[in-house]
Amino acid sequence: MSLPSQGEDSKEIEKDEESNRLLPWSFSLQSQPLTLQNEEDSDEVAFEAREKIVIVDVEGADSIDAVDYVPSFSWKKLWLFAGPGFLMSIAFLDPGNLEGDLQAGAIAGYSLLWLLMLTTITGLLIQMLSARVGVTTGRHLAELCREEYSNWAKYILWFMAEVTLIGADIQEVIGSAIAIQILSNGFLPLWAGVLITTLDTFMFLFLENYGVRKLECLFAVLIATMALSFSWMFGETKPSGKELLKGVLIPRLSSKAIRQAVGVVGCVITPHNVFLHSALVQSRKIDPQKKGRVQEALNYYLIESSVAVFLSFMINLFVTTVFAKGFYGTKQASSIGLINAGKYFEEKYGGGVFPILYMWGIGLLAAGQSSTITGTYAGQFIMGGFLNLRLKKWLRALITRSFAIVPTIIVAIIFNTSEASLDILNEWLNVIQSMQIPFALIPLLTLVAKEQIMGVFKIGPILERLAWTVVVLVMLINGYLLIDFFVSEVKGLLLGFLIGSGMVAYVAFIIYLVSRCGTSSSGWLSLEPSNKITSSGN
């Protein structure tokens, strides 16, 4: 009888060690009160332990067990970590971005390429701070906001994030529907494309049931499709290499292109993507008790995210330069948009073996489908994190999709035959998303600089100042867009009063968020730092 007893004890010990190793904080369940255990069990998580990808170690046992040891670079490990950055980079390539690119090229020519490059680098910085939060804490940004802010503030933040998602989703789904209309030669109306895109989203998300790696491979295919389509267009239209280099290396900004410049900045930093990246990085099994392993993960995520963002920059550059070559200085430049760009291409370049109209449609469809999937994905994490909802993933996807699909179908029916009205709607949606940027960036910088949350991985004062400088500049640029838009579009005393009152409340809430930067947190954040993130060799 003694042998079975020993075997059962051994299995129990192994189970305890495994569960302790997978905890997000460096303390064991046995040392905590029962109430805290139950609270932890009830928390929503981005990925269950069984869903995470195991990072294979090739080092010896001593180095694996060391707390501070950072393993040497391995191509095999880079391959295992590759994925979250490519899903994140889709937000740099959604139909709203492509419309901003084509309008920048058509109206400003090559002159805004330098701004596109700087903005992309800024976007990478913001996204790496988001990844840092996710890897270090084992929680994503929405979960941390739920614990950091009071109930009324967290519900406002959640509402703002949902508004952002709905606005982005309308643009993404409409972009896919336009692509389907182009590829069907006008046979399928916008509302039919909306329904097809909605069904496709659920089908693609179903791939996650077979492992997150399958979903990441799908995104790699979609990004490759965009790259091939737009690079083919680049080769077909033959933009000027000299003007391209001047546009990238020499900063220029015409007074006539200010609105397009602001649009370039606003398109790259999307609030829901900041929430998304902090969750995606948790798809890899990392032991947060070991500082060396956390640092290793951050190093690999920096590499793969940099590659993914560079590819997105090249695709955006292709689109901008193609439209700069084809339409800069023409009478169509001021009126071109997603819905009529294909028609203008056909008129200017005609058919051929691979008509440029259909290459544009294929690239646009890949952008719309991929960004719609990531938008739904982000919505699941945002809803689950802020509200702590333990729902089946398919149910969360259904709820998140329902928030956006009804207004999207209404928009598709109303604006199906009006290109001008669709462009006006797109401008309003861009403004709505620009207004939400502070409600993602300020909480991110607040959390990533707190030692109680980040431990030894809190950002230093130099990086913190740099990040705040970038965020303030982005907010000021988007503030200019808001003021310019409201001054030109809002008419009437009553509407002006309502908008003015709303802006006062908007600014007051931003001030509240900034004031929270130096305050201590409550709840689980009030635990001693040593109970959350190991900062010593223990």
Side-chain angles (χ1 to χ4, degrees), residues 323-357:
F323 281 88
K325 172 60 189 281
F327 301 102
Y328 177 58
T330 66
K331 62 180 181 180
Q332 299 103 327
S334 59
S335 61
I336 197 166
L338 288 180
I339 200 166
N340 58 18
K343 180 181 68 176
Y344 288 160
F345 267 129
E346 188 175 36
E347 292 174 354
K348 192 172 185 68
Y349 295 100
V353 180
F354 298 104
I356 196 169
L357 166 66

PDB file of all heavy atoms in Angstrom, residues 323-357:
ATOM      1  N   PHE A 323      -0.359  56.252 -54.890  1.00  0.00           N
ATOM      2  CA  PHE A 323      -1.352  57.304 -55.112  1.00  0.00           C
ATOM      3  C   PHE A 323      -0.682  58.651 -55.369  1.00  0.00           C
ATOM      4  O   PHE A 323      -1.257  59.503 -56.055  1.00  0.00           O
ATOM      5  CB  PHE A 323      -2.311  57.377 -53.922  1.00  0.00           C
ATOM      6  CG  PHE A 323      -3.370  56.314 -53.953  1.00  0.00           C
ATOM      7  CD1 PHE A 323      -3.134  55.074 -53.391  1.00  0.00           C
ATOM      8  CD2 PHE A 323      -4.584  56.539 -54.574  1.00  0.00           C
ATOM      9  CE1 PHE A 323      -4.093  54.075 -53.435  1.00  0.00           C
ATOM     10  CE2 PHE A 323      -5.555  55.554 -54.627  1.00  0.00           C
ATOM     11  CZ  PHE A 323      -5.313  54.311 -54.052  1.00  0.00           C
ATOM     12  N   ALA A 324       0.511  58.847 -54.803  1.00  0.00           N
ATOM     13  CA  ALA A 324       1.257  60.069 -55.111  1.00  0.00           C
ATOM     14  C   ALA A 324       1.618  60.101 -56.591  1.00  0.00           C
ATOM     15  O   ALA A 324       1.499  61.141 -57.254  1.00  0.00           O
ATOM     16  CB  ALA A 324       2.515  60.152 -54.250  1.00  0.00           C
ATOM     17  N   LYS A 325       2.074  58.955 -57.117  1.00  0.00           N
ATOM     18  CA  LYS A 325       2.448  58.892 -58.533  1.00  0.00           C
ATOM     19  C   LYS A 325       1.217  59.014 -59.440  1.00  0.00           C
ATOM     20  O   LYS A 325       1.238  59.719 -60.462  1.00  0.00           O
ATOM     21  CB  LYS A 325       3.150  57.556 -58.808  1.00  0.00           C
ATOM     22  CG  LYS A 325       3.419  57.283 -60.281  1.00  0.00           C
ATOM     23  CD  LYS A 325       4.323  58.382 -60.863  1.00  0.00           C
ATOM     24  CE  LYS A 325       4.437  58.268 -62.371  1.00  0.00           C
ATOM     25  NZ  LYS A 325       5.310  57.300 -62.868  1.00  0.00           N
ATOM     26  N   GLY A 326       0.124  58.369 -59.037  1.00  0.00           N
ATOM     27  CA  GLY A 326      -1.027  58.308 -59.925  1.00  0.00           C
ATOM     28  C   GLY A 326      -1.946  59.517 -59.887  1.00  0.00           C
ATOM     29  O   GLY A 326      -2.542  59.881 -60.906  1.00  0.00           O
ATOM     30  N   PHE A 327      -2.034  60.187 -58.701  1.00  0.00           N
ATOM     31  CA  PHE A 327      -3.109  61.176 -58.565  1.00  0.00           C
ATOM     32  C   PHE A 327      -2.675  62.518 -57.977  1.00  0.00           C
ATOM     33  O   PHE A 327      -3.503  63.430 -57.905  1.00  0.00           O
ATOM     34  CB  PHE A 327      -4.233  60.585 -57.704  1.00  0.00           C
ATOM     35  CG  PHE A 327      -4.801  59.326 -58.272  1.00  0.00           C
ATOM     36  CD1 PHE A 327      -4.441  58.094 -57.751  1.00  0.00           C
ATOM     37  CD2 PHE A 327      -5.657  59.356 -59.355  1.00  0.00           C
ATOM     38  CE1 PHE A 327      -4.947  56.917 -58.280  1.00  0.00           C
ATOM     39  CE2 PHE A 327      -6.166  58.189 -59.894  1.00  0.00           C
ATOM     40  CZ  PHE A 327      -5.809  56.961 -59.355  1.00  0.00           C
ATOM     41  N   TYR A 328      -1.421  62.657 -57.561  1.00  0.00           N
ATOM     42  CA  TYR A 328      -0.980  63.940 -57.018  1.00  0.00           C
ATOM     43  C   TYR A 328      -1.038  65.015 -58.106  1.00  0.00           C
ATOM     44  O   TYR A 328      -0.517  64.850 -59.200  1.00  0.00           O
ATOM     45  CB  TYR A 328       0.441  63.835 -56.471  1.00  0.00           C
ATOM     46  CG  TYR A 328       1.002  65.131 -55.949  1.00  0.00           C
ATOM     47  CD1 TYR A 328       0.352  65.833 -54.935  1.00  0.00           C
ATOM     48  CD2 TYR A 328       2.187  65.664 -56.462  1.00  0.00           C
ATOM     49  CE1 TYR A 328       0.867  67.023 -54.448  1.00  0.00           C
ATOM     50  CE2 TYR A 328       2.714  66.844 -55.972  1.00  0.00           C
ATOM     51  CZ  TYR A 328       2.038  67.534 -54.970  1.00  0.00           C
ATOM     52  OH  TYR A 328       2.548  68.716 -54.480  1.00  0.00           O
ATOM     53  N   GLY A 329      -1.713  66.116 -57.793  1.00  0.00           N
ATOM     54  CA  GLY A 329      -1.840  67.211 -58.746  1.00  0.00           C
ATOM     55  C   GLY A 329      -2.950  67.049 -59.751  1.00  0.00           C
ATOM     56  O   GLY A 329      -3.107  67.901 -60.635  1.00  0.00           O
ATOM     57  N   THR A 330      -3.735  65.983 -59.643  1.00  0.00           N
ATOM     58  CA  THR A 330      -4.851  65.779 -60.565  1.00  0.00           C
ATOM     59  C   THR A 330      -6.150  66.297 -59.961  1.00  0.00           C
ATOM     60  O   THR A 330      -6.236  66.567 -58.772  1.00  0.00           O
ATOM     61  CB  THR A 330      -5.023  64.283 -60.907  1.00  0.00           C
ATOM     62  OG1 THR A 330      -5.424  63.577 -59.721  1.00  0.00           O
ATOM     63  CG2 THR A 330      -3.709  63.695 -61.417  1.00  0.00           C
ATOM     64  N   LYS A 331      -7.179  66.388 -60.796  1.00  0.00           N
ATOM     65  CA  LYS A 331      -8.459  66.884 -60.303  1.00  0.00           C
ATOM     66  C   LYS A 331      -9.157  65.878 -59.393  1.00  0.00           C
ATOM     67  O   LYS A 331     -10.030  66.236 -58.601  1.00  0.00           O
ATOM     68  CB  LYS A 331      -9.369  67.226 -61.486  1.00  0.00           C
ATOM     69  CG  LYS A 331      -9.709  66.038 -62.368  1.00  0.00           C
ATOM     70  CD  LYS A 331     -10.613  66.464 -63.529  1.00  0.00           C
ATOM     71  CE  LYS A 331     -10.983  65.260 -64.408  1.00  0.00           C
ATOM     72  NZ  LYS A 331     -11.872  65.666 -65.533  1.00  0.00           N
ATOM     73  N   GLN A 332      -8.772  64.596 -59.486  1.00  0.00           N
ATOM     74  CA  GLN A 332      -9.388  63.577 -58.624  1.00  0.00           C
ATOM     75  C   GLN A 332      -8.798  63.549 -57.220  1.00  0.00           C
ATOM     76  O   GLN A 332      -9.353  62.921 -56.322  1.00  0.00           O
ATOM     77  CB  GLN A 332      -9.212  62.176 -59.239  1.00  0.00           C
ATOM     78  CG  GLN A 332      -9.857  62.012 -60.595  1.00  0.00           C
ATOM     79  CD  GLN A 332      -8.809  62.062 -61.695  1.00  0.00           C
ATOM     80  OE1 GLN A 332      -7.817  62.778 -61.562  1.00  0.00           O
ATOM     81  NE2 GLN A 332      -9.040  61.335 -62.779  1.00  0.00           N
ATOM     82  N   ALA A 333      -7.659  64.235 -57.027  1.00  0.00           N
ATOM     83  CA  ALA A 333      -6.908  64.101 -55.779  1.00  0.00           C
ATOM     84  C   ALA A 333      -7.740  64.430 -54.543  1.00  0.00           C
ATOM     85  O   ALA A 333      -7.680  63.724 -53.536  1.00  0.00           O
ATOM     86  CB  ALA A 333      -5.658  64.988 -55.816  1.00  0.00           C
ATOM     87  N   SER A 334      -8.524  65.482 -54.604  1.00  0.00           N
ATOM     88  CA  SER A 334      -9.262  65.933 -53.424  1.00  0.00           C
ATOM     89  C   SER A 334     -10.505  65.100 -53.138  1.00  0.00           C
ATOM     90  O   SER A 334     -11.072  65.183 -52.044  1.00  0.00           O
ATOM     91  CB  SER A 334      -9.671  67.400 -53.587  1.00  0.00           C
ATOM     92  OG  SER A 334     -10.486  67.561 -54.743  1.00  0.00           O
ATOM     93  N   SER A 335     -10.914  64.275 -54.082  1.00  0.00           N
ATOM     94  CA  SER A 335     -12.155  63.516 -53.904  1.00  0.00           C
ATOM     95  C   SER A 335     -11.936  62.016 -53.793  1.00  0.00           C
ATOM     96  O   SER A 335     -12.893  61.255 -53.651  1.00  0.00           O
ATOM     97  CB  SER A 335     -13.118  63.791 -55.069  1.00  0.00           C
ATOM     98  OG  SER A 335     -12.532  63.392 -56.299  1.00  0.00           O
ATOM     99  N   ILE A 336     -10.699  61.578 -53.838  1.00  0.00           N
ATOM    100  CA  ILE A 336     -10.438  60.142 -53.873  1.00  0.00           C
ATOM    101  C   ILE A 336     -10.608  59.524 -52.484  1.00  0.00           C
ATOM    102  O   ILE A 336     -10.281  60.128 -51.464  1.00  0.00           O
ATOM    103  CB  ILE A 336      -9.018  59.871 -54.432  1.00  0.00           C
ATOM    104  CG1 ILE A 336      -8.890  58.422 -54.871  1.00  0.00           C
ATOM    105  CG2 ILE A 336      -7.942  60.220 -53.420  1.00  0.00           C
ATOM    106  CD1 ILE A 336      -7.660  58.161 -55.720  1.00  0.00           C
ATOM    107  N   GLY A 337     -11.144  58.317 -52.450  1.00  0.00           N
ATOM    108  CA  GLY A 337     -11.354  57.584 -51.203  1.00  0.00           C
ATOM    109  C   GLY A 337     -11.397  56.096 -51.489  1.00  0.00           C
ATOM    110  O   GLY A 337     -11.206  55.660 -52.633  1.00  0.00           O
ATOM    111  N   LEU A 338     -11.658  55.285 -50.472  1.00  0.00           N
ATOM    112  CA  LEU A 338     -11.653  53.837 -50.657  1.00  0.00           C
ATOM    113  C   LEU A 338     -12.647  53.393 -51.712  1.00  0.00           C
ATOM    114  O   LEU A 338     -12.368  52.513 -52.530  1.00  0.00           O
ATOM    115  CB  LEU A 338     -11.978  53.132 -49.332  1.00  0.00           C
ATOM    116  CG  LEU A 338     -10.923  53.147 -48.229  1.00  0.00           C
ATOM    117  CD1 LEU A 338     -11.440  52.403 -47.010  1.00  0.00           C
ATOM    118  CD2 LEU A 338      -9.614  52.536 -48.708  1.00  0.00           C
ATOM    119  N   ILE A 339     -13.824  54.007 -51.709  1.00  0.00           N
ATOM    120  CA  ILE A 339     -14.907  53.497 -52.542  1.00  0.00           C
ATOM    121  C   ILE A 339     -14.729  53.827 -54.018  1.00  0.00           C
ATOM    122  O   ILE A 339     -15.232  53.103 -54.887  1.00  0.00           O
ATOM    123  CB  ILE A 339     -16.262  54.031 -52.021  1.00  0.00           C
ATOM    124  CG1 ILE A 339     -17.405  53.157 -52.530  1.00  0.00           C
ATOM    125  CG2 ILE A 339     -16.467  55.488 -52.418  1.00  0.00           C
ATOM    126  CD1 ILE A 339     -18.712  53.391 -51.806  1.00  0.00           C
ATOM    127  N   ASN A 340     -13.985  54.897 -54.332  1.00  0.00           N
ATOM    128  CA  ASN A 340     -13.808  55.240 -55.752  1.00  0.00           C
ATOM    129  C   ASN A 340     -12.372  55.094 -56.229  1.00  0.00           C
ATOM    130  O   ASN A 340     -12.080  55.332 -57.400  1.00  0.00           O
ATOM    131  CB  ASN A 340     -14.295  56.670 -56.028  1.00  0.00           C
ATOM    132  CG  ASN A 340     -13.585  57.709 -55.173  1.00  0.00           C
ATOM    133  OD1 ASN A 340     -12.521  57.446 -54.614  1.00  0.00           O
ATOM    134  ND2 ASN A 340     -14.172  58.890 -55.064  1.00  0.00           N
ATOM    135  N   ALA A 341     -11.452  54.699 -55.336  1.00  0.00           N
ATOM    136  CA  ALA A 341     -10.051  54.571 -55.729  1.00  0.00           C
ATOM    137  C   ALA A 341      -9.882  53.525 -56.824  1.00  0.00           C
ATOM    138  O   ALA A 341      -9.113  53.717 -57.778  1.00  0.00           O
ATOM    139  CB  ALA A 341      -9.203  54.206 -54.514  1.00  0.00           C
ATOM    140  N   GLY A 342     -10.603  52.401 -56.700  1.00  0.00           N
ATOM    141  CA  GLY A 342     -10.493  51.354 -57.700  1.00  0.00           C
ATOM    142  C   GLY A 342     -10.929  51.830 -59.077  1.00  0.00           C
ATOM    143  O   GLY A 342     -10.305  51.513 -60.095  1.00  0.00           O
ATOM    144  N   LYS A 343     -12.007  52.611 -59.115  1.00  0.00           N
ATOM    145  CA  LYS A 343     -12.513  53.135 -60.395  1.00  0.00           C
ATOM    146  C   LYS A 343     -11.489  54.075 -61.034  1.00  0.00           C
ATOM    147  O   LYS A 343     -11.236  54.002 -62.248  1.00  0.00           O
ATOM    148  CB  LYS A 343     -13.834  53.874 -60.163  1.00  0.00           C
ATOM    149  CG  LYS A 343     -14.455  54.452 -61.428  1.00  0.00           C
ATOM    150  CD  LYS A 343     -15.749  55.194 -61.106  1.00  0.00           C
ATOM    151  CE  LYS A 343     -15.474  56.454 -60.298  1.00  0.00           C
ATOM    152  NZ  LYS A 343     -16.715  57.252 -60.060  1.00  0.00           N
ATOM    153  N   TYR A 344     -10.885  54.943 -60.214  1.00  0.00           N
ATOM    154  CA  TYR A 344      -9.866  55.850 -60.743  1.00  0.00           C
ATOM    155  C   TYR A 344      -8.648  55.086 -61.266  1.00  0.00           C
ATOM    156  O   TYR A 344      -8.045  55.454 -62.277  1.00  0.00           O
ATOM    157  CB  TYR A 344      -9.436  56.839 -59.654  1.00  0.00           C
ATOM    158  CG  TYR A 344     -10.480  57.888 -59.324  1.00  0.00           C
ATOM    159  CD1 TYR A 344     -10.440  58.583 -58.114  1.00  0.00           C
ATOM    160  CD2 TYR A 344     -11.507  58.191 -60.209  1.00  0.00           C
ATOM    161  CE1 TYR A 344     -11.391  59.548 -57.798  1.00  0.00           C
ATOM    162  CE2 TYR A 344     -12.458  59.152 -59.916  1.00  0.00           C
ATOM    163  CZ  TYR A 344     -12.394  59.815 -58.701  1.00  0.00           C
ATOM    164  OH  TYR A 344     -13.339  60.776 -58.408  1.00  0.00           O
ATOM    165  N   PHE A 345      -8.277  54.019 -60.564  1.00  0.00           N
ATOM    166  CA  PHE A 345      -7.163  53.194 -61.023  1.00  0.00           C
ATOM    167  C   PHE A 345      -7.470  52.577 -62.391  1.00  0.00           C
ATOM    168  O   PHE A 345      -6.620  52.559 -63.280  1.00  0.00           O
ATOM    169  CB  PHE A 345      -6.895  52.059 -60.013  1.00  0.00           C
ATOM    170  CG  PHE A 345      -5.857  52.391 -58.984  1.00  0.00           C
ATOM    171  CD1 PHE A 345      -6.113  52.206 -57.631  1.00  0.00           C
ATOM    172  CD2 PHE A 345      -4.611  52.875 -59.357  1.00  0.00           C
ATOM    173  CE1 PHE A 345      -5.163  52.494 -56.685  1.00  0.00           C
ATOM    174  CE2 PHE A 345      -3.649  53.174 -58.397  1.00  0.00           C
ATOM    175  CZ  PHE A 345      -3.924  52.981 -57.056  1.00  0.00           C
ATOM    176  N   GLU A 346      -8.680  52.063 -62.523  1.00  0.00           N
ATOM    177  CA  GLU A 346      -9.065  51.420 -63.780  1.00  0.00           C
ATOM    178  C   GLU A 346      -9.045  52.416 -64.935  1.00  0.00           C
ATOM    179  O   GLU A 346      -8.580  52.103 -66.039  1.00  0.00           O
ATOM    180  CB  GLU A 346     -10.461  50.806 -63.645  1.00  0.00           C
ATOM    181  CG  GLU A 346     -10.875  49.960 -64.839  1.00  0.00           C
ATOM    182  CD  GLU A 346     -12.209  49.270 -64.597  1.00  0.00           C
ATOM    183  OE1 GLU A 346     -13.078  49.896 -63.944  1.00  0.00           O
ATOM    184  OE2 GLU A 346     -12.383  48.137 -65.051  1.00  0.00           O
ATOM    185  N   GLU A 347      -9.530  53.643 -64.665  1.00  0.00           N
ATOM    186  CA  GLU A 347      -9.536  54.664 -65.714  1.00  0.00           C
ATOM    187  C   GLU A 347      -8.120  55.064 -66.113  1.00  0.00           C
ATOM    188  O   GLU A 347      -7.847  55.324 -67.282  1.00  0.00           O
ATOM    189  CB  GLU A 347     -10.302  55.899 -65.223  1.00  0.00           C
ATOM    190  CG  GLU A 347     -11.808  55.665 -65.042  1.00  0.00           C
ATOM    191  CD  GLU A 347     -12.498  56.853 -64.418  1.00  0.00           C
ATOM    192  OE1 GLU A 347     -11.779  57.809 -64.024  1.00  0.00           O
ATOM    193  OE2 GLU A 347     -13.739  56.841 -64.291  1.00  0.00           O
ATOM    194  N   LYS A 348      -7.206  55.089 -65.143  1.00  0.00           N
ATOM    195  CA  LYS A 348      -5.861  55.591 -65.412  1.00  0.00           C
ATOM    196  C   LYS A 348      -4.932  54.511 -65.971  1.00  0.00           C
ATOM    197  O   LYS A 348      -4.116  54.770 -66.857  1.00  0.00           O
ATOM    198  CB  LYS A 348      -5.253  56.171 -64.139  1.00  0.00           C
ATOM    199  CG  LYS A 348      -3.969  56.976 -64.387  1.00  0.00           C
ATOM    200  CD  LYS A 348      -3.525  57.680 -63.133  1.00  0.00           C
ATOM    201  CE  LYS A 348      -2.319  58.579 -63.391  1.00  0.00           C
ATOM    202  NZ  LYS A 348      -2.658  59.741 -64.245  1.00  0.00           N
ATOM    203  N   TYR A 349      -5.075  53.270 -65.466  1.00  0.00           N
ATOM    204  CA  TYR A 349      -4.119  52.224 -65.847  1.00  0.00           C
ATOM    205  C   TYR A 349      -4.738  51.084 -66.651  1.00  0.00           C
ATOM    206  O   TYR A 349      -4.025  50.210 -67.133  1.00  0.00           O
ATOM    207  CB  TYR A 349      -3.439  51.657 -64.596  1.00  0.00           C
ATOM    208  CG  TYR A 349      -2.591  52.678 -63.880  1.00  0.00           C
ATOM    209  CD1 TYR A 349      -3.062  53.334 -62.752  1.00  0.00           C
ATOM    210  CD2 TYR A 349      -1.323  53.003 -64.356  1.00  0.00           C
ATOM    211  CE1 TYR A 349      -2.286  54.284 -62.095  1.00  0.00           C
ATOM    212  CE2 TYR A 349      -0.543  53.941 -63.715  1.00  0.00           C
ATOM    213  CZ  TYR A 349      -1.031  54.591 -62.580  1.00  0.00           C
ATOM    214  OH  TYR A 349      -0.261  55.529 -61.947  1.00  0.00           O
ATOM    215  N   GLY A 350      -6.064  51.068 -66.755  1.00  0.00           N
ATOM    216  CA  GLY A 350      -6.710  50.057 -67.579  1.00  0.00           C
ATOM    217  C   GLY A 350      -6.604  48.658 -67.019  1.00  0.00           C
ATOM    218  O   GLY A 350      -6.444  48.442 -65.822  1.00  0.00           O
ATOM    219  N   GLY A 351      -6.695  47.654 -67.923  1.00  0.00           N
ATOM    220  CA  GLY A 351      -6.695  46.250 -67.512  1.00  0.00           C
ATOM    221  C   GLY A 351      -5.328  45.625 -67.596  1.00  0.00           C
ATOM    222  O   GLY A 351      -4.366  46.129 -67.046  1.00  0.00           O
ATOM    223  N   GLY A 352      -5.232  44.516 -68.335  1.00  0.00           N
ATOM    224  CA  GLY A 352      -3.992  43.763 -68.406  1.00  0.00           C
ATOM    225  C   GLY A 352      -4.216  42.363 -67.865  1.00  0.00           C
ATOM    226  O   GLY A 352      -5.335  41.941 -67.571  1.00  0.00           O
ATOM    227  N   VAL A 353      -3.114  41.617 -67.744  1.00  0.00           N
ATOM    228  CA  VAL A 353      -3.214  40.250 -67.238  1.00  0.00           C
ATOM    229  C   VAL A 353      -3.736  40.250 -65.807  1.00  0.00           C
ATOM    230  O   VAL A 353      -4.603  39.462 -65.432  1.00  0.00           O
ATOM    231  CB  VAL A 353      -1.841  39.554 -67.318  1.00  0.00           C
ATOM    232  CG1 VAL A 353      -1.954  38.118 -66.775  1.00  0.00           C
ATOM    233  CG2 VAL A 353      -1.330  39.527 -68.753  1.00  0.00           C
ATOM    234  N   PHE A 354      -3.184  41.150 -64.995  1.00  0.00           N
ATOM    235  CA  PHE A 354      -3.649  41.324 -63.615  1.00  0.00           C
ATOM    236  C   PHE A 354      -4.096  42.780 -63.456  1.00  0.00           C
ATOM    237  O   PHE A 354      -3.280  43.638 -63.117  1.00  0.00           O
ATOM    238  CB  PHE A 354      -2.543  40.999 -62.612  1.00  0.00           C
ATOM    239  CG  PHE A 354      -2.068  39.583 -62.668  1.00  0.00           C
ATOM    240  CD1 PHE A 354      -0.858  39.265 -63.270  1.00  0.00           C
ATOM    241  CD2 PHE A 354      -2.834  38.563 -62.140  1.00  0.00           C
ATOM    242  CE1 PHE A 354      -0.421  37.955 -63.331  1.00  0.00           C
ATOM    243  CE2 PHE A 354      -2.410  37.250 -62.190  1.00  0.00           C
ATOM    244  CZ  PHE A 354      -1.193  36.937 -62.796  1.00  0.00           C
ATOM    245  N   PRO A 355      -5.359  43.080 -63.716  1.00  0.00           N
ATOM    246  CA  PRO A 355      -5.827  44.477 -63.643  1.00  0.00           C
ATOM    247  C   PRO A 355      -5.538  45.087 -62.272  1.00  0.00           C
ATOM    248  O   PRO A 355      -5.780  44.459 -61.235  1.00  0.00           O
ATOM    249  CB  PRO A 355      -7.333  44.346 -63.895  1.00  0.00           C
ATOM    250  CG  PRO A 355      -7.494  43.060 -64.628  1.00  0.00           C
ATOM    251  CD  PRO A 355      -6.437  42.155 -64.090  1.00  0.00           C
ATOM    252  N   ILE A 356      -5.029  46.307 -62.275  1.00  0.00           N
ATOM    253  CA  ILE A 356      -4.662  46.967 -61.028  1.00  0.00           C
ATOM    254  C   ILE A 356      -5.880  47.192 -60.126  1.00  0.00           C
ATOM    255  O   ILE A 356      -5.764  47.219 -58.904  1.00  0.00           O
ATOM    256  CB  ILE A 356      -3.941  48.308 -61.341  1.00  0.00           C
ATOM    257  CG1 ILE A 356      -3.205  48.810 -60.085  1.00  0.00           C
ATOM    258  CG2 ILE A 356      -4.919  49.342 -61.878  1.00  0.00           C
ATOM    259  CD1 ILE A 356      -2.274  49.969 -60.374  1.00  0.00           C
ATOM    260  N   LEU A 357      -7.064  47.292 -60.745  1.00  0.00           N
ATOM    261  CA  LEU A 357      -8.289  47.444 -59.968  1.00  0.00           C
ATOM    262  C   LEU A 357      -8.477  46.257 -59.025  1.00  0.00           C
ATOM    263  O   LEU A 357      -8.797  46.425 -57.845  1.00  0.00           O
ATOM    264  CB  LEU A 357      -9.484  47.557 -60.918  1.00  0.00           C
ATOM    265  CG  LEU A 357     -10.883  47.392 -60.301  1.00  0.00           C
ATOM    266  CD1 LEU A 357     -11.179  48.546 -59.346  1.00  0.00           C
ATOM    267  CD2 LEU A 357     -11.942  47.301 -61.398  1.00  0.00           C
TER     268      LEU A 357
END
